[in-house]
Amino acid sequence: MSRPRAVVFGYHDVADRCLRALVSGGVDVALLVTHRDDPAEERWFACAADTAREHGIEVSYQSENDSPGLQQRIAAIAPDFIFSFYYRALLSDAMLGLARRGALNMHGSLLPDYRGRAPVNWAVLNGETRTGATLHYMAARADAGDIVDQLAVPILEDDDARIVMHKVTVAAETVLWRSLPGLIDGTAPRSRQDLSKGRYFGRRRPEDGRIDWRRSAREIHNLIRAVAPPFPGAFCELRGERLWIHRSRVVQNAATRGEPQLHAEGGRCLARCGDGHWLEVLAAADSRGPLDLSRWAAELANHPVALT
C-alpha cells in the first residue's frame, strides 16, 4: 500500500511539531507552503521551513496563497490530504478541493469556543482555566468544519500566553499523532460543530494592550499575561513615559478604598486597581529597558504615583 501524500500549509511551533508527526507517521509530505519571517516580529518559535528541509521536503514561500501557479503545483502533487498548521491565511474552496481525502486544520482552542484569531491570547485574557487543540476539517467559514479530535490543557492562574502556547503545541502534536491512523485508513470520526456555541474573535493589535486601571485587579492581571513578551505587552503612561508591565500577581488580601495608585510596601511594587484589590508588579520595563524593581520600590515608597 502506497503512503498517503500531503501538502502542508504551516508556520510556528505547531507546524514544526505536526510536520514531524506526519513524517514519523508515514505520510509522504510533498510540499510545505509557509511564510517568510517578518523582520519586525520577534521569532521565538521553531522554523517550519528548516524542519521541512531537514526531511527533504520542498518549501514554497507564497505571497499569494491561491496563485494559479501554486494551485497547479498542488494539483500535480495530487495530495490525499491538505493540512493547515497555524498558517496565517485562509485557503480558498478551490485550494481545499485539491485534497482527495480531505483538508484539515489544527486550531488552538477547544472548538467551537474561540474560533478565529489569536485563540490562546483571547482565552488567557478572558480568564479561562483551560483551552486546547482541535483537529477539524476545513470549510468555507473559518474554524467551522467537522471535528476529528481535540485535547484540553490547563491554564494556571499565572500562566502567560507563551506558556499556554507551548502546552497547546504539545496538545496539537498529540491530537494529530493519535488521529493519523484513522485518517489514513478512513475510520477517523467526524463530529459536526454546534456553531451556536462559542464565538469568533478577531486579530489583536499592540494598542489593545493598554491598561485601564479602573478595571479589576484580576482583569488587568489577565491582560498582562495575555500579551506578555514575546507578544507586544501591556502598558500604561506613567509620568509622561510609557511603562510596560510584563509580569504580575494578584495580591490575596482585602480590598482598600481609594483611586488607582502605584506604591511600594515591604520592598514590593504594588498597584491598586479599580476594584480596590492589588497587583504586585513582578517585571516591568520602560523605553530604556527592564526596570530594577528594588530601586523602583524604594522610590515609590516615598512618592506613590496615581494611575490613570
Side-chain angles (χ1 to χ4, degrees):
M1 182 177 177
S2 61
R3 293 193 298 159
R5 302 199 83 194
V7 169
V8 171
F9 289 77
Y11 194 64
H12 215 277
D13 283 341
V14 171
D16 166 58
R17 296 312 307 174
C18 288
L19 190 57
R20 293 180 186 277
L22 290 176
V23 172
S24 295
V27 175
D28 175 16
V29 181
L31 177 68
L32 169 70
V33 184
T34 190
H35 306 285
R36 294 192 184 278
D37 293 332
D38 182 346
E41 179 182 355
E42 177 188 356
R43 187 171 69 78
W44 51 275
F45 40 83
C47 179
D50 289 346
T51 307
R53 294 188 186 99
E54 175 187 333
H55 292 281
I57 298 168
E58 179 186 350
V59 175
S60 175
Y61 295 96
Q62 289 297 132
S63 57
E64 296 182 11
N65 304 305
D66 292 327
S67 67
L70 179 60
Q71 288 197 35
Q72 291 169 9
R73 174 74 183 102
I74 294 176
I77 292 171
D80 295 292
F81 299 101
I82 288 176
F83 291 99
S84 177
F85 302 133
Y86 265 65
Y87 194 67
R88 293 177 170 180
L90 292 177
L91 304 183
S92 69
D93 288 346
M95 187 70 76
L96 300 181
L98 297 176
R100 296 184 295 178
R101 299 179 59 186
L104 298 101
N105 175 58
M106 187 67 73
H107 186 71
S109 78
L110 297 174
L111 293 176
D113 290 336
Y114 292 95
R115 303 188 296 275
R117 302 276 191 167
V120 167
N121 305 82
W122 280 112
V124 175
L125 178 68
N126 289 334
E128 302 289 356
T129 58
R130 70 172 200 158
T131 187
T134 301
L135 181 65
H136 67 97
Y137 284 90
M138 286 186 273
R141 190 177 182 186
D143 306 321
D146 294 349
I147 292 173
V148 175
D149 191 13
Q150 58 186 191
L151 179 65
V153 298
I155 303 177
L156 306 186
E157 181 177 3
D158 294 326
D159 283 348
D160 63 25
R162 180 172 184 169
I163 290 172
V164 178
M165 190 66 234
H166 288 321
K167 296 181 184 182
V168 167
T169 299
V170 174
E173 178 183 355
T174 301
V175 165
L176 180 62
W177 180 251
R178 71 190 187 187
S179 298
L180 265 181
L183 290 174
I184 292 170
D185 67 20
T187 62
R190 292 185 66 151
S191 301
R192 180 166 295 183
Q193 290 193 58
D194 181 355
L195 298 181
S196 67
K197 299 179 179 178
R199 65 187 179 99
Y200 281 94
F201 288 82
R203 184 191 299 272
R204 293 193 59 79
R205 304 165 301 161
E207 186 62 25
D208 295 329
R210 182 177 294 276
I211 298 170
D212 179 356
W213 292 104
R214 296 168 298 179
R215 311 289 291 189
S216 71
R218 179 67 59 187
E219 288 173 305
I220 295 171
H221 176 61
N222 289 342
L223 171 63
I224 290 167
R225 60 199 186 98
V227 298
F231 301 101
F235 64 91
C236 64
E237 308 299 328
L238 193 67
R239 295 169 176 161
E241 185 176 8
R242 181 156 293 190
L243 172 73
W244 284 270
I245 298 181
H246 292 158
R247 270 201 322 127
S248 62
R249 179 178 296 128
V250 176
V251 178
Q252 302 299 329
N253 60 4
T256 60
R257 292 186 178 183
E259 295 298 315
Q261 180 190 76
L262 186 64
H263 82 146
E265 183 178 303
R268 299 186 299 165
C269 299
L270 301 171
R272 181 168 57 208
C273 304
D275 62 350
H277 287 280
W278 296 83
L279 282 182
E280 180 179 0
V281 178
L282 299 177
D286 59 18
S287 60
R288 293 172 292 277
L291 295 183
D292 180 336
L293 292 187
S294 60
R295 181 177 177 179
W296 197 33
E299 295 175 2
L300 290 172
N302 297 318
H303 303 285
V305 180
L307 294 169
T308 57

